[in-house]
Structure formats: structure tokens, C-alpha cells
């Protein structure tokens, strides 16, 4: 398979899985969207489950790399690190909204394999380390880190869903205000 065909298959699958979910997306629909034969798709991905797991791992790894890019050193205060993480999430959403929506729609689903779950847990660990540091310093509420992640990440994903749906217009002022409110929601 040429890189172009592989790219076309992965792009089509990502778009369709993000829009329709796993159960609403079939291999023939993906093949049609990618403009390849169904057999071609099966030649490279043995099943729809293998394809969704490959995409999930790729998207989560890409998201994790974006979060960690130019991460402030451990000597930097937790507030600055939180700011960095939040705005890197914004950067990821702006550059690949389908990947963000895909991750959100597919996390913790029955068809994800052990490796996909591990990759997502590794991604969450980046956030947990930051939150645990803040809790240790008495800066962040002493709630379970996963609860704190739900407060911030959940709000962030919902924000970008309604922006993508056209229900809210994104602006620098809005994003700055949301980042500040998310910080205020978890800080002491």
C-alpha cells in the first residue's frame, strides 16, 4: 500500500469513527470514503477492531507528545505547568479536532485492546504527575487525580465539542477565561 493510500484510509477512518462511532462505521464505508477497495483495507488491517485500535493509539500518542512538547521544567511552578498543559490541549484541538473527538468517543470502550488502554493510561499519567505535584505542595485540592482530570479535561472536551458544532464561537478571550476557570476549579 502506498503511503498516500494508507493516509487516505487512516484519515477516512478517523473522520468516520469520530462522527459515527465504532458501531456506526463499517469497513465498506471507510473504504468508500478512502476511495480504496474493501479488500485493500483488509489487507493492511485484519479487522475494524485492529484499525480502531491503531488509530486510537496513534491519536493518543500524538496528543501526549503535544502536551509534553516544551513542558516547563520541574522547577517551574504548578500553575505555569497547568497553563502549558491547557494551552497545548487547545493547540491539539485546533490542529486535529477529529483526533480529539475520536479519543473522547472511543476511550474505555469494549473494543479497545490492552495496548490501547495502556497508551491512554500513560497519557493520563502525564496529567496525574502534575496534579499530584500540586496536591503535594498544597496548591491543588486533595481529590483523586482522576476526579481532577474529569473536571478539567471533561470541561475542555465539552468546550471543543460545542465550538466544533458551531454553538459557540472560539475566541482568545473565551479560551483564556476557560483556562482560568478550570484552574480555579482545582486549586485550593
Amino acid at each position: 500500500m502506498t503511503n498516500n493510500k494508507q493516509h487516505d484510509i487512516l484519515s477516512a477512518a478517523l473522520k468516520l469513527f469520530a462522527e459515527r462511532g465504532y458501531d456506526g462505521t463499517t469497513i465498506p464505508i471507510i473504504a468508500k470514503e478512502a476511495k480504496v477497495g474493501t479488500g485493500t483495507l483488509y489487507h493492511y488491517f485484519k479487522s475494524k477492531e485492529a484499525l480502531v485500535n491503531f488509530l486510537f493509539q496513534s491519536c493518543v500518542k500524538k496528543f501526549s507528545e503535544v502536551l509534553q512538547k516544551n513542558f516547563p521544567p520541574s522547577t517551574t511552578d504548578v500553575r505555569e505547568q497547568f497553563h502549558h498543559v491547557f494551552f497545548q490541549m487547545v493547540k491539539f484541538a485546533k490542529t486535529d479536532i477529529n483526533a480529539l473527538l475520536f479519543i473522547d468517543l472511543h476511550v474505555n470502550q469494549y473494543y479497545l485492546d490492552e495496548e490501547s488502554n495502556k497508551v491512554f493510561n500513560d497519557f493520563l499519567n502525564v496529567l496525574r504527575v502534575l496534579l499530584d505535584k500540586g496536591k503535594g505542595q498544597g496548591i491543588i485540592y486533595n481529590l483523586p487525580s482522576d476526579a481532577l482530570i474529569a473536571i478539567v479535561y471533561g470541561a475542555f472536551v465539552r468546550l471543543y465539542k460545542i465550538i466544533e458544532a458551531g454553538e459557540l464561537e472560539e475566541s482568545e478571550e473565551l479560551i483564556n477565561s476557560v483556562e482560568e476557570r478550570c484552574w480555579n476549579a482545582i486549586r485550593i
Side-chain angles (χ1 to χ4, degrees):
M1 178 164 70
T2 68
N3 284 337
N4 289 340
K5 283 190 178 188
Q6 181 179 25
H7 180 266
D8 292 346
I9 290 169
L10 294 172
S11 293
L14 178 62
K15 177 181 177 278
L16 291 166
F17 282 135
E19 291 173 356
R20 303 168 64 118
Y22 179 79
D23 293 325
T25 304
T26 65
I27 291 291
I29 291 171
I30 295 168
K32 182 178 179 183
E33 179 79 16
K35 297 179 174 80
V36 300
T38 302
T40 300
L41 204 147
Y42 276 119
H43 180 71
Y44 295 96
F45 296 99
K46 67 180 179 176
S47 65
K48 180 171 78 166
E49 186 175 299
L51 175 56
V52 79
N53 276 280
F54 179 86
L55 274 173
F56 186 83
Q57 291 169 32
S58 297
C59 289
V60 172
K61 287 175 184 176
K62 182 178 175 185
F63 197 5
S64 186
E65 288 169 7
V66 169
L67 287 188
Q68 295 178 65
K69 186 174 183 173
N70 300 319
F71 193 81
S74 61
T75 56
T76 308
D77 71 18
V78 171
R79 175 65 179 107
E80 185 177 332
Q81 290 178 336
F82 177 86
H83 180 84
H84 172 84
V85 166
F86 189 89
F87 282 97
Q88 289 300 101
M89 291 191 312
V90 169
K91 180 179 181 179
F92 182 75
K94 285 182 173 185
T95 58
D96 204 345
I97 189 66
N98 281 338
L100 178 68
L101 299 176
F102 171 82
I103 292 166
D104 182 60
L105 187 59
H106 296 282
V107 71
N108 296 324
Q109 294 299 318
Y110 68 92
Y111 43 80
L112 290 185
D113 60 22
E114 186 178 324
E115 182 62 20
S116 290
N117 290 319
K118 180 190 176 308
V119 167
F120 190 73
N121 192 53
D122 291 346
F123 164 76
L124 290 179
N125 280 336
V126 171
L127 304 174
R128 288 181 188 120
V129 167
L130 171 61
L131 295 168
D132 289 345
K133 178 182 174 184
K135 288 189 288 185
Q137 293 176 0
I139 298 168
I140 293 178
Y141 280 110
N142 194 20
L143 290 171
S145 292
D146 287 340
L148 296 168
I149 289 168
I151 292 168
V152 175
Y153 182 72
F156 171 80
V157 171
R158 177 68 182 140
L159 174 67
Y160 272 91
K161 282 181 178 180
I162 61 177
I163 288 171
E164 179 66 11
E167 298 170 19
L168 186 64
E169 188 175 329
E170 182 179 2
S171 69
E172 187 176 334
E173 181 182 345
L174 174 70
I175 299 303
N176 287 332
S177 293
V178 170
E179 187 270 345
E180 184 71 27
R181 296 310 153 280
C182 285
W183 172 251
N184 287 339
I186 65 168
R187 75 175 175 92
I188 292 179

